[in-house]
Amino acid sequence: MNRYPRCTKGAFFLFLFAGLTILLLGSIIYIVVIFDPNAYKPEIIRLVKEKKERRLRLDGPITLAFFPSPGVEFARLSLSEHNNDDEFANIEKVHVSFEILPLLRKELVLDEINITGLAANLIRFSDGSTNIDDLIRSEEQQERFRFDIGRVRMEKTMLALRDEGSDTHFVFRNIELEADRADERADAVGDAIRSKVELTFNIAHPERPEVDMATRVRFHLTLNAQRQYFALSGMKLVAEAQLPDTGRLFIQSSGNFSASLLEEGGEFSADEFTFDTGIRSVDSSFNIGVNAAHLGLKGQKLTTDKILGVAKINGSHSLISGKFSLSSIQGTLTDFRSEVFRADLESENEGRVVKAHFSSPLGGNIAALWLSLAELKAGIEAKGANLPAHGIQGNLSGSASLDGLTGNAWAKLNGTMADSNIAAKFSASSLIPPYLAFEVNIDELNLDRFSPRQQDGQQQKAGRAERSFELNVLDNLEGLNMEGSIRVGVLKAGDFTASRVRVDIRP
């Protein structure tokens, strides 16, 4: 008879698990008691100096943590510029947690990285290089471990950006970032990282403290570094800022974006793209919105589907609204064309309504910020209490162009308005605030056509009808920075007739 009871398989595995657990706990206790990570500070500093030629300071302690997952925490770090003792960045605290078992497979799987109180200075030099080129440069030698990060969190972060080439300087403050890995692989782009990202920050200008834009953006990120591919799907952006003397600025945008940089020239696309912006003050507001089903750029080749837009300017006593559309765009960044551009505008001001319709093919150069309406046609109709009962109609044709680099615009129009033949030239510069100049030539102008409609039951004086007219053009132009001239071949008003009339307007 066997003196020892038979051990079942279940009991055997239970004892084995208990033994391994005790061994693991004992190892953890031993590491906590015996191992001092701060002893490795000099070696870490030496490696950074040797590999990256930057000075690393570890002024705070390095501590180990094992719950809820093993990890290490650094406090009060700072890093210098490349081959320079000037400070590039400092961090209040970094906590990194990782998984133990993947280390045996030479895989570093990071559960979570928490960064608190990062402050960094990013510089783009005049030659196009940056002060982080050495940090992001790929090494020829393969990494010993494969990195896999589950979650990244950042809070109380500040990034100062300076572009020496354009002499611009911005500060991103109060950056809060949460990025969670959604999938380890993406079938559409091979081995890739998928992550859900939520980011908030404030944009400020060091020399203009009154400008402060709060921004929140969410998107799902797909990133494949090997194929140089990234995509932002379901992107939603909301921004708001208080602008000096103009009220509040609002921006909203959404869409799906992707870029592939592996091919020569790269390939970019935006689908279901929307963009809305506006400025609101106490007594006025301005809003404009644009949406497009698809925008694409491959190398220099540009393709788009139909683009639609709306705009509205609401003043204390006036309302201007409009909408425009562009047919599909074909061409390149330096030479593109849309066969049909249409715009409809409507203005209401103290009982007067003006409607205008414009159409033309559109061409341009995005790189030079230049647009051209080479075959512009316009139809105009005005009605109101101070105009004839049938209103005023006109049809004009000509061309217009805009130079975005200089902020200048030109237009040349010919046609008829209220049975008068008109030839006009317009130009605008310094678009904010605008400076307008014009030359208008009219062959014959009968001001009686602009007189108010006769009221019902109004009696006419015997022998001669009483005619009167009133022009308030100068009142409507008050506050505009403009100059120009109006030439009229024959001017008629009641029994008055004049030839070769010229009116000059000066600022």
Side-chain angles (χ1 to χ4, degrees):
M1 181 176 181
N2 192 349
R3 296 174 53 190
Y4 302 99
R6 177 175 294 181
C7 181
T8 65
K9 290 184 178 180
F12 172 78
F13 285 114
L14 179 62
F15 288 134
L16 179 61
F17 177 77
L20 291 175
T21 301
I22 293 173
L23 180 62
L24 179 61
L25 289 176
S27 301
I28 292 175
I29 293 173
Y30 177 80
I31 292 174
V32 171
V33 173
I34 300 300
F35 179 71
D36 180 14
N38 291 280
Y40 290 87
K41 278 186 177 182
E43 181 65 15
I44 297 173
I45 294 172
R46 185 191 67 81
L47 286 174
V48 172
K49 184 66 175 178
E50 179 182 316
K51 298 294 185 180
K52 295 299 181 182
E53 298 182 325
R54 290 176 182 256
R55 178 178 54 81
L56 174 67
R57 293 184 58 181
L58 299 172
D59 295 331
I62 303 176
T63 57
L64 296 177
F66 292 93
F67 299 98
S69 60
V72 62
E73 183 174 294
F74 300 85
R76 301 195 300 277
L77 299 83
S78 66
L79 186 66
S80 73
E81 295 282 0
H82 183 253
N83 280 328
N84 192 322
D85 287 338
D86 293 342
E87 186 176 86
F88 161 69
N90 65 78
I91 304 176
E92 180 182 327
K93 183 173 63 176
V94 178
H95 180 89
V96 180
S97 60
F98 52 87
E99 298 180 9
I100 296 294
L101 293 180
L103 291 175
L104 302 177
R105 303 191 301 268
K106 293 186 178 182
E107 294 181 359
L108 184 59
V109 177
L110 303 180
D111 281 340
E112 187 170 321
I113 299 177
N114 285 290
I115 301 174
T116 303
L118 167 65
N121 297 296
L122 305 179
I123 305 172
R124 183 178 184 272
F125 302 108
S126 300
D127 61 0
S129 63
T130 72
N131 66 334
I132 61 171
D133 285 349
D134 63 301
L135 297 178
I136 62 178
R137 186 183 301 119
S138 61
E139 301 289 345
E140 294 182 3
Q141 181 180 359
Q142 295 293 325
E143 295 289 344
R144 182 177 180 183
F145 290 99
R146 183 177 70 85
F147 289 88
D148 194 358
I149 302 174
R151 171 180 291 184
V152 176
R153 289 184 177 179
M154 297 176 65
E155 59 182 357
K156 297 193 296 184
T157 297
M158 187 276 292
L159 297 177
L161 306 181
R162 186 170 83 247
D163 189 335
E164 293 186 349
S166 59
D167 194 25
T168 56
H169 191 181
F170 289 96
V171 177
F172 292 79
R173 299 183 293 103
N174 304 326
I175 299 176
E176 306 281 339
L177 170 67
E178 287 194 13
D180 296 307
R181 183 179 58 209
D183 257 327
E184 293 186 358
R185 296 182 182 273
D187 295 337
V189 290
D191 193 4
I193 298 172
R194 281 183 176 264
S195 180
K196 179 181 179 182
V197 180
E198 182 169 345
L199 176 65
T200 64
F201 54 88
N202 288 65
I203 303 177
H205 195 289
E207 299 177 0
R208 300 184 63 183
E210 72 278 8
V211 178
D212 190 358
M213 177 179 290
T215 305
R216 177 182 295 274
V217 58
R218 299 178 181 178
F219 54 86
H220 285 81
L221 170 67
T222 300
L223 175 64
N224 188 316
Q226 183 178 2
R227 293 181 56 182
Q228 299 184 42
Y229 171 89
F230 73 88
L232 307 180
S233 59
M235 192 279 290
K236 293 185 179 179
L237 179 145
V238 178
E240 182 177 345
Q242 179 67 49
L243 300 180
D245 304 324
T246 58
R248 299 195 67 81
L249 170 68
F250 298 87
I251 297 175
Q252 292 185 350
S253 183
S254 64
N256 303 308
F257 307 88
S258 66
S260 179
L261 307 179
L262 194 59
E263 298 181 9
E264 183 178 356
E267 183 174 357
F268 306 86
S269 68
D271 297 291
E272 300 178 7
F273 170 72
T274 67
F275 181 84
D276 297 276
T277 185
I279 297 177
R280 302 173 188 173
S281 61
V282 176
D283 57 355
S284 63
S285 65
F286 165 78
N287 293 89
I288 184 169
V290 178
N291 67 80
H294 174 75
L295 303 172
L297 178 64
K298 187 173 183 180
Q300 289 288 313
K301 187 177 180 181
L302 178 68
T303 59
T304 73
D305 291 339
K306 189 174 184 179
I307 300 176
L308 303 175
V310 294
K312 181 179 291 186
I313 302 175
N314 198 341
S316 56
H317 301 290
S318 63
L319 173 63
I320 301 175
S321 60
K323 59 182 180 180
F324 69 88
S325 65
L326 271 173
S327 64
S328 60
I329 297 176
Q330 303 291 333
T332 66
L333 289 175
T334 57
D335 184 15
F336 71 87
R337 181 178 174 86
S338 174
E339 293 300 328
V340 182
F341 165 79
R342 290 191 176 95
D344 293 286
L345 300 178
E346 182 172 335
S347 172
E348 298 182 21
N349 187 358
E350 297 182 348
R352 183 181 303 145
V353 178
V354 179
K355 297 181 180 181
H357 172 76
F358 303 90
S359 64
S360 172
L362 172 71
N365 183 330
I366 294 179
L369 297 180
W370 174 77
L371 295 175
S372 174
L373 299 171
E375 304 172 28
L376 180 60
K377 296 181 180 180
I380 302 174
E381 179 182 4
K383 292 184 179 181
N386 296 324
L387 295 175
H390 60 277
I392 299 173
Q393 293 81 30
N395 291 285
L396 303 171
S397 62
S399 61
S401 59
L402 169 67
D403 186 342
L405 293 179
T406 63
N408 296 326
W410 303 267
K412 183 178 180 181
L413 297 171
N414 296 276
T416 60
M417 178 71 68
D419 297 331
S420 297
N421 295 318
I422 298 176
K425 296 180 181 180
F426 301 92
S427 65
S429 59
S430 302
L431 297 179
I432 303 176
Y435 174 79
L436 307 176
F438 62 90
E439 293 182 8
V440 180
N441 290 283
I442 305 174
D443 65 341
E444 183 176 326
L445 179 61
N446 188 346
L447 294 181
D448 291 336
R449 298 182 182 277
F450 300 89
S451 62
R453 69 190 72 177
Q454 298 294 325
Q455 301 297 328
D456 292 339
Q458 180 179 357
Q459 300 294 325
Q460 296 182 351
K461 292 186 178 180
R464 180 182 300 172
E466 181 179 346
R467 296 189 177 98
S468 63
F469 58 89
E470 180 179 0
L471 294 178
N472 296 316
V473 175
L474 295 180
D475 291 341
N476 295 332
L477 299 180
E478 184 179 358
L480 292 178
N481 184 18
M482 63 185 303
E483 67 174 320
S485 63
I486 301 175
R487 295 180 176 88
V488 182
V490 178
L491 177 64
K492 296 181 179 180
D495 295 330
F496 172 80
T497 300
S499 301
R500 302 178 65 182
V501 177
R502 173 170 176 163
V503 178
D504 292 322
I505 298 175
R506 298 287 181 262

